[in-house]
């Protein structure tokens, strides 16, 4: 199965990944050289990187238009929605007195 991602969506995804990587690298503490023999420091802030990436992707989708998929003719595709029908009585209901 092939999933088609349009160019704008792919660019937004790549920008989000790059932002996450940059924030993860920026929050990583300085590593001592391996020859120093000291213990290695912890990792970067993964939660902050994912949160910032999600925020960036959300803003870019809103700004660049994460529009509904279009049909090959260029018009927005419409899925059939629920239809409302009113019940039609076949015979008048008897009234109670």
């Amino acid at each position: 199965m092939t999933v088609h991602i349009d160019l704008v969506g792919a660019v937004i995804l790549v920008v989000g990944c790059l932002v996450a990587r940059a924030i993860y690298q920026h929050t990583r503490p300085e590593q001592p050289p391996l020859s120093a023999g000291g213990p290695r420091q912890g990792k970067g802030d993964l939660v902050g990187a994912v949160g910032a990436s999600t925020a960036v992707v959300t803003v870019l989708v809103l700004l660049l238009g994460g529009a509904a998929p279009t049909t090959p003719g260029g018009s927005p595709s419409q899925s059939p929605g629920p239809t409302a029908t009113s019940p039609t009585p076949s015979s008048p209901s008897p009234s109670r007195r």
Side-chain angles (χ1 to χ4, degrees), residues 24-32 40-45:
Y24 181 76
Q25 291 293 329
H26 182 71
T27 58
R28 182 177 236 166
E30 293 296 321
Q31 300 282 337
R40 294 205 133 213
Q41 298 290 326
K43 298 181 180 177
D45 185 11

